Amino acid sequence: MVREKWGSRLGFLLAGIGSAVGLGNVWRFSYIVGQNGGGAFLMPYLISIFAFGLPLMILEFSIGRHFKGSVVSCMRKIKNSFKWVGVVIVAVNTVVLSYYLVITGWTVAFLSLTLLKSDMDFNTFSQTYYTPLFFVIVAFITAFVVMKGVKSGIERTSKIMVPSLGILLLGMVVYALTLPNAVTGILFYFKPDLSTFNDHSMWSAAFGQAFFSLSVGSGILLTYGSYLDEKESLVSNSAIITLFDLMISIVSAVIIFSIVFSFNLEPAAGPNLAFSTLPHVFSTVPYGMMLAAVFYLLLFSAALTSSISMFEVTTAAFIDDAHLSRAKSSMILLGILLVLGLPSALSYSGMNLQLGGIPFLDHLDQLFGSLAIMFTALLISVSFTWFFDNRIVKNQINKNSRWNVGNSIFVLAKYMIPIVLFYVLAARVFNLFL
Ligand code: PHE
């Protein structure tokens, strides 16, 4: 069977940006900046993005394009027994997707509630059964897009969703900048503060957020790279995706903190910021309904293209390694996700499914969204650099590229990234269990 391919470079770029830009940029970035003292967080974050996230992105794309296969096939081709490493990565990705779809469902639910002129707040909302309902709806939408294929499904959807997201974001930022305390909000996180430079919990938050936001370490970039033509430059495309991702996080934070500081809200509100704190504001300001609709549509476009990319990782593994058709693969995965995501969906419903007083979804976000993703990033950087010929990788990276990457990428990916990831992981696990 001939491997599917992106229709154009733009299509690939938009799909890459669509995967990177997600809830992580709008919802997660702003609350993590809030919890980590604003401006103090910015420097560790920038370093994490450029010194660690970007090199790993380039590496993942290059391995995918070299072997032209799913995560499991690429790992198997590196070393037969490594196929199990591939299976672990695909499994982690599937678990993250199972709860990511639940939150994607919230964006559609809040959009619908806004359009129906309901002013239900998050607490009331989470006592209904809307969460499981909308989870099922978005799971079907995601499966449908992926079933249509790389070019007519993923690429076409990204070409609509990503530019729309840009326009909606522009609209919101214009509004946010007219608010009375916009400047205070912006200063809150632009003012660098070097006094916390040696605070390692901040560094760990920065690494976690950088990897999550760029979608590195979960096999997505590898899978997307496997559909990319040899004539495209991996280096410049990766740089563009990274810059867009960073820019969108910053613009989203400008929007959110202008609102937070203009309405005396708590910047460190945590994960509830987007779904509970902001709707409060929307219900009191002029044109609030319209703003709310734009905001949730924006969140939805961001979340859907990321869900699609995670869905594609597992689907590609079913296609390449279990030799199933795309239609069958996506239907089987849909079935798995409906079961796997149900506990997360029910944890924000009338049933209140919790473990130790904490919603099931929050546990998964802690364990899989940050810890396991760093672990799989560690597996990826180690297997691609220690067990595979670096010269082949370097050739692949620099193919048709205007800027050539030297051996420094291997110094980073072979030593620095694994050491840092290991350290951050160990510290997190230590904090979590002791
Ligand atoms: N990068 C996406 C975001 O910022 C989320 C994501 C994480 C997607 C990991 C795939 C893998 O929301």
Side-chain angles (χ1 to χ4, degrees):
M1 211 167 57
V2 189
R3 192 166 190 77
E4 291 178 77
K5 265 194 172 175
W6 299 108
S8 63
R9 175 186 182 197
L10 182 70
F12 160 72
L13 265 178
L14 291 176
I17 296 174
S19 169
V21 175
L23 294 165
N25 302 63
V26 189
W27 159 76
R28 209 163 184 267
F29 182 73
S30 42
Y31 90 72
I32 290 193
V33 172
Q35 282 176 340
N36 285 284
F41 183 75
L42 210 59
M43 202 50 95
Y45 185 67
L46 289 178
I47 294 177
S48 311
I49 286 273
F50 290 107
F52 299 90
L54 177 61
L56 211 49
M57 175 184 282
I58 298 176
L59 190 69
E60 253 195 65
F61 275 144
S62 69
I63 293 287
R65 189 164 75 173
H66 178 73
F67 287 119
K68 307 217 172 6
S70 72
V71 194
V72 179
S73 335
C74 289
M75 286 291 180
R76 185 168 37 83
K77 286 177 188 159
I78 288 177
K79 204 172 161 103
N80 197 32
S81 56
F82 278 16
K83 59 175 181 266
W84 296 110
V85 176
V87 171
V88 169
I89 298 173
V90 170
V92 168
N93 171 74
T94 313
V95 175
V96 174
L97 175 58
S98 74
Y99 78 83
Y100 200 88
L101 282 173
V102 172
I103 308 174
T104 310
W106 291 352
T107 65
V108 187
F110 271 72
L111 179 63
S112 318
L113 289 173
T114 309
L115 297 177
L116 293 171
K117 302 203 176 4
S118 148
D119 55 2
M120 191 184 285
D121 66 14
F122 191 74
N123 285 335
T124 325
F125 169 79
S126 61
Q127 290 313 307
T128 63
Y129 280 87
Y130 284 132
T131 299
L133 172 70
F134 282 93
F135 157 66
V136 173
I137 295 175
V138 295
F140 268 90
I141 298 177
T142 311
F144 179 74
V145 172
V146 172
M147 204 173 75
K148 301 285 276 179
V150 174
K151 201 157 101 184
S152 349
I154 305 176
E155 182 168 343
R156 199 192 273 171
T157 312
S158 308
K159 275 183 166 165
I160 302 171
M161 299 302 255
V162 176
S164 323
L165 178 117
I167 296 172
L168 294 172
L169 208 62
L170 224 64
M172 281 298 280
V173 85
V174 168
Y175 163 76
L177 291 177
T178 60
L179 291 173
N181 281 340
V183 176
T184 324
I186 293 167
L187 281 181
F188 169 72
Y189 86 102
F190 267 135
K191 210 160 96 207
D193 170 4
L194 297 182
S195 66
T196 48
F197 219 64
N198 54 6
D199 173 354
H200 63 240
S201 69
M202 174 171 300
W203 278 94
S204 132
F207 285 122
Q209 176 60 20
F211 282 93
F212 186 85
S213 187
L214 291 176
S215 307
V216 295
S218 51
I220 290 175
L221 305 170
L222 179 149
T223 310
Y224 276 14
S226 75
Y227 307 126
L228 185 65
D229 200 281
E230 301 275 336
K231 71 174 196 291
E232 305 297 351
S233 150
L234 291 180
V235 181
S236 52
N237 282 318
S238 304
I240 295 175
I241 296 175
T242 303
L243 285 176
F244 262 93
D245 184 68
L246 178 64
M247 203 168 70
I248 292 183
S249 290
I250 291 183
V251 171
S252 307
V254 165
I255 295 171
I256 290 182
F257 289 115
S258 302
I259 297 179
V260 164
F261 280 87
S262 299
F263 293 93
N264 290 322
L265 306 171
E266 174 50 58
N272 279 350
L273 199 62
F275 293 102
S276 130
T277 316
L278 292 182
H280 229 66
V281 172
F282 294 144
S283 63
T284 55
V285 297
Y287 306 108
M289 285 271 296
M290 211 175 78
L291 285 172
V294 169
F295 182 72
Y296 291 114
L297 193 59
L298 190 159
L299 273 184
F300 172 64
S301 338
L304 184 69
T305 42
S306 299
S307 299
I308 290 171
S309 68
M310 285 186 253
F311 201 104
E312 176 62 20
V313 171
T314 314
T315 306
F318 285 162
I319 298 175
D320 291 351
D321 306 288
H323 308 292
L324 298 172
S325 69
R326 179 168 279 276
K328 233 186 217 155
S329 304
S330 35
M331 281 306 120
I332 294 177
L333 178 57
L334 174 64
I336 296 176
L337 285 166
L338 289 178
V339 176
L340 207 59
L342 202 61
S344 300
L346 288 175
S347 66
Y348 282 89
S349 74
M351 202 186 271
N352 276 324
L353 199 62
Q354 297 187 334
L355 273 181
I358 296 172
F360 192 78
L361 185 152
D362 296 35
H363 281 294
L364 286 190
D365 186 38
Q366 271 290 326
L367 280 177
F368 286 85
S370 57
L371 275 183
I373 282 201
M374 282 203 255
F375 179 63
T376 54
L378 179 67
L379 293 177
I380 284 185
S381 61
V382 170
S383 23
F384 294 170
T385 53
W386 284 91
F387 296 91
F388 190 57
D389 191 339
N390 293 177
R391 279 167 311 184
I392 300 181
V393 180
K394 198 168 127 189
N395 254 338
Q396 179 59 255
I397 292 177
N398 290 330
K399 211 171 248 178
N400 298 319
S401 175
R402 220 181 322 155
W403 296 290
N404 278 4
V405 168
N407 287 330
S408 53
I409 191 162
F410 295 106
V411 177
L412 279 170
K414 225 169 160 167
Y415 306 100
M416 290 289 286
I417 297 179
I419 291 173
V420 169
L421 281 174
F422 184 79
Y423 172 76
V424 169
L425 261 171
R428 284 266 192 111
V429 172
F430 196 73
N431 271 344
L432 207 64
F433 294 110
L434 295 174

